[in-house]
Amino acid sequence: MDALHTRLLVTRFGESFRFYDSLLPALTGATRTRGDAEGPYASWDVDGQGALALFDRTAMAATVPSLRAPGPGDCTMLVSRVPDVDAAYAACLAQGATPAGAPADRPEWGPTLRSAHVRDPEGNLWELQSY
């Protein structure tokens, strides 16, 4: 289970993909598990755990509208796999998170994928997902 990993939101997907795809295997032992230079998504794992993901910023903005006019901290987001997206979203809101994207099924990302997005008290974006 991918408890927590970083996703970089990039505007030059192909260039970023080639950079990480050429370096991560040798430097960290990561293996590419999804995607290619065409995008809009790619990810690398180490020992079966998510290590890094890239997502095209424009494609992500279709799900998180606030990314259309990104702030200075919107180059990175945290991603966590959770057992229940709706319950995790509610728990985050109860602790003061700001909603950034309500829970929704995302079959275009995976046949059983469901996700929601919140911002922490500092404004950092966090995706909660189950699949």
Side-chain angles (χ1 to χ4, degrees):
M1 176 179 281
D2 298 332
L4 183 67
H5 68 273
T6 302
R7 178 181 295 160
L8 302 179
L9 304 175
V10 299
T11 56
R12 298 186 322 237
F13 189 91
E15 185 179 339
S16 297
F17 173 87
R18 287 185 288 279
F19 177 82
Y20 286 105
D21 200 49
S22 68
L23 292 171
L24 287 174
L27 297 180
T28 68
T31 302
R32 182 170 20 111
T33 55
R34 290 179 205 89
D36 59 31
E38 298 302 311
Y41 180 83
S43 64
W44 293 262
D45 289 3
V46 174
D47 296 328
Q49 296 293 309
L52 179 70
L54 299 179
F55 208 126
D56 179 82
R57 176 188 296 280
T58 302
M60 191 72 216
T63 301
V64 182
S66 64
L67 290 174
R68 292 182 187 133
D74 282 339
C75 294
T76 324
M77 65 188 290
L78 298 174
V79 180
S80 292
R81 188 171 177 189
V82 297
D84 182 330
V85 169
D86 297 82
Y89 182 77
C92 288
L93 297 181
Q95 291 300 314
T98 303
D105 294 332
R106 308 220 187 274
E108 67 278 15
W109 293 2
T112 61
L113 199 136
R114 183 169 180 77
S115 71
H117 298 85
V118 297
R119 290 191 181 272
D120 73 11
E122 288 290 322
N124 297 301
L125 190 58
W126 189 6
E127 178 175 295
L128 308 164
Q129 60 176 231
S130 64
Y131 51 91

